[in-house]
Amino acid sequence: MAVSLGKAGHTPAARESGFAAHRAGVDRLLASYRAIPPGATVRLAKKTSNLFRARAANPAPGLDVSGLTSVIAVDPEARTADVAGMTTYEDLVAATLPYGLAPLVVPQLKTITLGGAVTGLGIESTSFRSGLPHESVLEMDVLTGAGEILTVAPEGEYADLFRGFPNSYGTLGYTVRLKIELEPVLPYVALRHVRFHDLRALEAAIATIVDERAWDGERVDYLDGVVFTAEESYLTLGRQTDEPGPVSDYTGMDIYYRSIQHDSATPKRDRLTIHDYLWRWDTDWFWCSRAFGTQNPRIRRFWPKRYRRSSFYWKLVALDHKYHIGDRIEARKGNPPRERVVQDIEVPVERTADFVSWFLREIPIEPIWLCPLRLREEGPAVRGGTRGWPLYPLERERTYVNVGFWSAVPTVPGQPEGAANRAIEQKVTEFDGHKSLYSDSYYREDEFAALYGGETYSELKKRYDPDQRLLDLYSKAVQRR
């Protein structure tokens, strides 16, 4: 029996209350859709976002998603959850962990929403065994551009929308409800930080761990890595455990990514609670909090904990984008403006060392995050053989490595806008990889179509948004509309 998460307790009445509240939220959503003038672009009325690309202001009212921010129900026996589309992973994890369950993939930042991770892709250290968040979706209710709410699943009348929805970024519709798989988790995660002095050795180790799910005779449940220099990189190998013992805390003065570094040939060991492991990157937004001085002990000591999280740092970045604070400071120093280089890309594992070596030579950003990825080979969403996800066409049975880098570089007079980002796009394509679309993109329209769905996307757009109420993907991702 499914149980709801509410103040009334885990009773059938509470379950019905959860779904009733969700239905009321859907009613408000539909009413707001009908209030948008014909011909006006339909967008969400959201105050927050995890996107890093600018977009034009929308004069029309947005969709009211205020009633779509809750976990509707968790079924601990079936290991599933019904979740409203705008629910954050912070709230989702808080609802599932009491049952010893978690989503199969939990993106690193607390305020990423489930719907956002499905339509815009998400990744984390379980992705080498569990793929991407959309691969553990059993069914979705989607508000299409035509104003219909359709229940879509891997099989059935709307299977094409189910397959085409990932990486569509709200251009085919918005998730209203998602039913997802959950997996059992233990209370703690034991970590090994393994150092590498050579990128080829790092690359070979990733391939071995993904294939064997183990390293040096010990099971690996979580896998990601950090590159500081070509001579200093690490893989962090996590193993679930229920063994009691001391745990580290990186929400205070200690900084997680700095704890990874060591000089020994023997892996450095650590332990976290499962909760703190899932959110280990959020306190310092990986390492980006250093831009705000938060990693300076004298500042960190007095920086309130409630503001030591990615959502608050993002607000500071939004202020910088609005008022060009960073460029003004650089100008006073006599320096040119800086180009934002905030990207996640995937390359095949056998090209990882090539790409990282090129990046370290050409783009002055460090550290770099690594997260191995392999599409799922089993589960309800992948039934039917080799059918993939056409708007982000990774190959099944092939290992990729996500490379994440988030900073800015000085512009060079005479070079075109986005010169560093353009170079990255060209290199990723050369290496048979893909780039996420949550940040700035510079592809030509024909290049973009070849990489992100082409005719398949066009057909989906015609079927589910016939009047073009939603922006198309190229307009949104590249033209910043």
Side-chain angles (χ1 to χ4, degrees):
M1 180 183 71
V3 291
S4 179
L5 304 167
K7 295 180 179 179
H10 309 312
T11 64
R15 178 179 184 274
E16 177 54 36
S17 175
F19 276 98
H22 179 67
R23 288 192 292 270
V26 172
D27 289 342
R28 293 202 297 275
L29 173 73
L30 291 173
S32 66
Y33 177 91
R34 291 190 291 268
I36 298 173
T41 299
V42 175
R43 283 183 175 170
L44 300 181
K46 282 182 65 179
K47 294 181 180 180
T48 61
S49 172
N50 282 287
L51 295 179
F52 277 85
R53 46 179 158 78
R55 57 180 183 174
N58 186 21
L63 293 173
D64 181 357
V65 294
S66 61
L68 304 177
T69 60
S70 301
V71 177
I72 304 165
V74 173
D75 185 335
E77 294 180 4
R79 296 177 183 169
T80 63
D82 286 277
V83 186
M86 304 301 158
T87 304
T88 66
Y89 272 93
E90 182 176 24
D91 290 340
L92 176 54
V93 166
T96 62
L97 280 187
Y99 298 105
L101 299 170
L104 273 65
V105 180
V106 179
Q108 315 86 347
L109 306 180
K110 292 178 177 179
T111 54
I112 293 174
T113 63
L114 178 58
V118 169
T119 194
L121 305 185
I123 193 168
E124 235 293 321
S125 59
T126 56
S127 289
F128 79 104
R129 60 180 174 84
S130 296
L132 300 172
H134 56 267
E135 296 191 276
S136 51
V137 175
L138 301 173
E139 66 177 24
M140 300 181 285
D141 292 342
V142 176
L143 173 67
T144 69
E148 301 175 293
I149 293 182
L150 304 178
T151 299
V152 305
E155 306 291 340
E157 182 179 0
Y158 307 116
D160 59 342
L161 181 56
F162 184 89
R163 295 281 165 190
F165 199 80
N167 209 45
S168 63
Y169 280 90
T171 66
L172 297 176
Y174 296 103
T175 51
V176 175
R177 177 191 63 91
L178 305 95
K179 186 171 186 177
I180 63 169
E181 296 177 83
L182 304 172
E183 68 173 5
V185 292
L186 296 176
Y188 306 103
V189 179
L191 303 178
R192 286 178 289 166
H193 304 305
V194 183
R195 178 167 179 167
F196 295 85
H197 300 272
D198 176 79
L199 293 173
R200 291 290 176 198
L202 174 79
E203 175 185 284
I206 291 173
T208 297
I209 295 167
V210 172
D211 287 342
E212 299 181 2
R213 307 282 178 93
W215 179 256
D216 199 21
E218 190 172 330
R219 189 183 77 248
V220 176
D221 299 317
Y222 304 96
L223 173 64
D224 67 347
V226 178
V227 177
F228 291 91
T229 68
E231 293 75 36
E232 184 189 4
S233 58
Y234 301 85
L235 291 179
T236 294
L237 320 179
R239 174 178 57 84
Q240 293 188 31
T241 178
D242 57 4
E243 301 167 6
V247 294
S248 297
D249 179 3
Y250 296 106
T251 64
M253 292 299 293
D254 294 331
I255 298 168
Y256 173 71
Y257 83 98
R258 288 300 181 192
S259 76
I260 294 172
Q261 295 181 277
H262 63 88
D263 296 323
S264 173
T266 303
K268 181 180 180 181
R269 292 187 176 262
D270 200 356
R271 279 167 50 91
L272 292 171
T273 65
I274 180 63
H275 175 274
D276 285 357
Y277 175 79
L278 293 175
W279 303 128
R280 68 201 182 283
W281 292 119
D282 190 84
T283 300
D284 285 288
W285 207 4
F286 285 84
W287 31 80
C288 298
S289 68
R290 64 186 178 183
F292 312 112
T294 314
Q295 294 180 27
N296 182 324
R298 290 175 294 181
I299 296 175
R300 193 178 186 88
R301 185 174 292 109
F302 297 103
W303 192 291
K305 268 194 173 185
R306 66 183 181 277
Y307 296 139
R308 208 180 297 156
R309 51 182 285 146
S310 62
S311 55
F312 183 72
Y313 302 139
W314 198 97
K315 291 178 181 178
L316 297 180
V317 170
L319 287 173
D320 176 55
H321 292 170
K322 184 175 181 179
Y323 296 108
H324 307 290
I325 298 170
D327 286 347
R328 291 170 186 263
I329 293 173
E330 292 297 326
R332 290 195 175 194
K333 297 178 181 177
N335 297 330
R338 296 175 67 82
E339 175 187 349
R340 181 175 61 195
V341 182
V342 178
Q343 306 286 355
D344 278 75
I345 63 95
E346 272 95 29
V347 291
V349 65
E350 66 271 17
R351 304 310 303 267
T352 302
D354 293 333
F355 178 82
V356 172
S357 296
W358 172 85
F359 187 89
L360 291 172
R361 289 194 308 269
E362 301 295 331
I363 310 294
I365 292 175
E366 54 74 30
I368 304 168
W369 186 59
L370 304 180
C371 188
L373 158 67
R374 196 176 175 101
L375 294 182
R376 289 185 72 185
E377 298 175 5
E378 58 184 17
V382 293
R383 286 175 185 160
T386 59
R387 290 178 303 167
W389 310 97
L391 271 61
Y392 206 76
L394 302 177
E395 296 178 31
R396 292 209 183 279
E397 301 181 358
R398 189 175 192 184
T399 300
Y400 295 83
V401 175
N402 176 281
V403 186
F405 35 91
W406 315 291
S407 189
V409 299
T411 58
V412 178
Q415 289 194 346
E417 178 191 1
N421 285 282
R422 292 172 192 270
I424 290 165
E425 290 176 353
Q426 292 173 3
K427 189 59 64 173
V428 170
T429 300
E430 177 185 330
F431 287 166
D432 197 21
H434 297 77
K435 192 186 83 153
S436 296
L437 298 175
Y438 68 83
S439 189
D440 300 309
S441 296
Y442 295 88
Y443 296 105
R444 297 193 315 268
E445 195 161 2
D446 59 328
E447 292 176 320
F448 188 86
L451 292 168
Y452 299 103
E455 189 59 33
T456 299
Y457 176 74
S458 297
E459 292 301 318
L460 289 168
K461 192 71 172 167
K462 291 175 185 176
R463 182 179 184 189
Y464 296 104
D465 185 22
D467 297 324
Q468 300 292 304
R469 298 299 308 276
L470 306 169
L471 290 172
D472 72 84
L473 190 56
Y474 186 77
S475 296
K476 199 166 191 177
V478 181
Q479 297 177 327
R480 305 175 189 175
R481 290 177 55 192

